[in-house]
Amino acid sequence: MTKSNERSLASPLENVSPGSFPLVRPRRVRQANWSRRLVAETRLSVDDLIWPIFVVEGENQRVPVASMPGVERLSVDLAVAAAHEATELGIPALALFPYTDPALRRDDAREAFNPDNLVCKATRAIREANLNIGIVLDVALDPYTSHGHDGLLIEGRIANDETLEALVKQAMVQAEAGADILAPSDMMDGRVGAIRRALEAGGYRDTMIMSYAAKYASAFYGPFRDAVGSSSTLKGDKRTYQMDAANTDEALREAALDLAEGADMIMVKPGMPYLDILQRISQDLRAPTYAYQVSGEYAMLMAAIQNGWLDGDRVVVESLLAFKRAGASGILTYFAPRVARELRDRATG
């Protein structure tokens, strides 16, 4: 065979460097739905969802939250119905938050320690329905204080150690009512350890703690405060106890302290603006880490969806997938039932 014939039989790609185009074509695996699913690195499922619900006194009551389109405060009987709905959809847990009658708000937050307060009644009612669903209750005083703060206000400042005593009393009535997970969101120093010791002493050794370890002093909470009725009562701001939005190392320190004090899970709040915090905590501490897609995030997305600027189902699922990609073990989201239906439809469609 002549040298010219040898050259004609040689591959036109023999001089292409390994690892370069056209030998490597990343688009190959993207060309079909089945292949995209086959190589997906991150998956969102109904098992990742916790549904926050607001409860209100009365019977058969649905009270819309104006700043959160599609979200309503539900009376206890309808909260039980929502728990049935969540169970049917496969949502693992609900998080209950109360709209406290303004007449029951006091400087000392005494309604928080009432065994028959709204969230305790709702918890017992859901328990009596014998549903296979977890109940998460928030441990903080802001739904119960006359001034709207998460702690006790004494001589113009939030008193850390006095607040711990109040939080422990609140946590114990919630555990007695049947809460599976207590979620301290108050950001007082030492509160996880104080609650954990009280639970152990009281015989509630299996009650879990999901600590809002990295809760930032954020402007994204406004609609939530409308929903629980603290917008009009809040005096000042919460920057002396909630975290500075500029800090990341501090979040790791807070999370590590809470885990050492007995927290079983960690929360990052808000969610989308703090994906870097979520990723750092989940990677560095290797503990179950959750994100809260807060009321302001929900309201922004809903405003764009209602105006036709965004494709609702697609953008909601994409937003939650971002939390999973950043390392979230799960997400608290007001979109939970909507997403559960969307995921079900995708699976069966």
Side-chain angles (χ1 to χ4, degrees):
M1 182 179 294
T2 65
K3 289 184 178 180
S4 61
N5 287 336
E6 289 176 357
R7 283 195 296 272
S8 66
L9 293 175
S11 169
L13 301 178
E14 64 181 1
N15 294 322
V16 175
S17 299
S20 64
F21 178 84
L23 299 181
V24 177
R25 294 178 181 266
R27 287 183 58 191
R28 290 189 190 109
V29 297
R30 300 182 204 141
Q31 58 189 319
N33 176 270
W34 66 264
S35 60
R36 291 191 295 272
R37 289 189 288 118
L38 200 63
V39 300
E41 300 173 35
T42 306
R43 300 183 191 279
L44 177 70
S45 84
V46 69
D47 296 333
D48 298 316
L49 305 176
I50 299 174
W51 183 11
I53 290 177
F54 300 106
V55 290
V56 67
E57 291 286 1
E59 187 174 348
N60 196 31
Q61 294 293 308
R62 293 182 178 273
V63 182
V65 180
S67 54
M68 299 179 69
V71 172
E72 300 169 314
R73 303 185 192 104
L74 304 176
S75 52
V76 170
D77 55 322
L78 296 185
V80 174
H84 278 280
E85 178 186 2
T87 303
E88 292 166 3
L89 290 170
I91 296 171
L94 301 176
L96 306 180
F97 298 91
Y99 176 83
T100 303
D101 183 341
L104 296 175
R105 287 178 172 268
R106 295 286 190 277
D107 286 352
D108 62 5
R110 68 186 66 172
E111 183 65 11
F113 328 131
N114 178 4
D116 291 318
N117 68 26
L118 195 48
V119 291
C120 289
K121 285 193 293 188
T123 298
R124 286 193 295 270
I126 293 170
R127 282 281 160 264
E128 289 167 4
N130 197 31
L131 299 172
N132 184 24
I133 195 164
I135 299 175
V136 183
L137 293 186
D138 185 62
V139 183
L141 304 183
D142 52 317
Y144 306 101
T145 54
S146 55
H147 45 71
H149 279 285
D150 297 44
L152 299 177
L153 188 62
I154 300 175
E155 295 181 355
R157 63 188 298 270
I158 301 302
N160 191 93
D161 296 6
E162 291 85 349
T163 297
L164 295 186
E165 297 176 19
L167 295 172
V168 167
K169 289 194 290 184
Q170 181 186 21
M172 292 308 292
V173 300
Q174 293 177 347
E176 290 163 7
D180 299 290
I181 301 176
L182 301 181
S185 66
D186 56 285
M187 290 300 287
M188 299 298 118
D189 294 338
R191 89 274 203 207
V192 171
I195 293 169
R196 177 55 73 200
R197 286 189 291 271
L199 290 172
E200 288 287 322
Y204 297 100
R205 297 181 179 88
D206 294 330
T207 301
M208 292 170 272
I209 294 178
M210 177 186 286
S211 170
Y212 287 65
K215 183 178 180 180
Y216 285 83
S218 171
F220 283 89
Y221 302 148
F224 176 92
R225 291 172 184 163
D226 293 341
V228 298
S230 62
S231 299
S232 59
T233 60
L234 181 60
K235 299 175 181 177
D237 58 48
K238 303 187 178 186
R239 289 181 291 178
T240 66
Y241 49 99
Q242 294 179 354
M243 284 183 52
D244 190 325
N247 295 349
T248 59
D249 291 342
E250 184 182 12
L252 286 173
R253 187 161 61 250
E254 288 276 9
L257 282 169
D258 285 359
L259 289 169
E261 290 181 15
D264 303 285
M265 316 167 200
I266 294 297
M267 173 87 74
V268 176
K269 182 181 179 181
M272 190 69 75
Y274 294 87
L275 291 179
D276 58 321
I277 308 301
L278 174 61
Q279 185 173 46
R280 285 196 67 186
I281 289 176
S282 63
Q283 287 185 347
D284 288 12
L285 300 182
R286 298 294 177 183
T289 306
Y290 293 76
Y292 199 143
Q293 187 180 48
V294 299
S295 59
E297 299 171 64
Y298 173 88
M300 289 192 304
L301 288 174
M302 281 302 296
I305 292 166
Q306 289 185 325
N307 278 285
W309 299 333
L310 293 174
D311 181 323
D313 291 332
R314 290 184 61 192
V315 76
V316 168
V317 170
E318 183 179 340
S319 71
L320 300 186
L321 193 62
F323 295 121
K324 291 292 293 181
R325 194 178 63 243
S329 304
I331 309 112
L332 278 79
T333 175
Y334 303 99
F335 289 116
R338 175 176 184 159
V339 171
R341 293 188 193 93
E342 172 67 12
L343 294 175
R344 182 187 60 190
D345 292 345
R346 289 186 183 186
T348 59

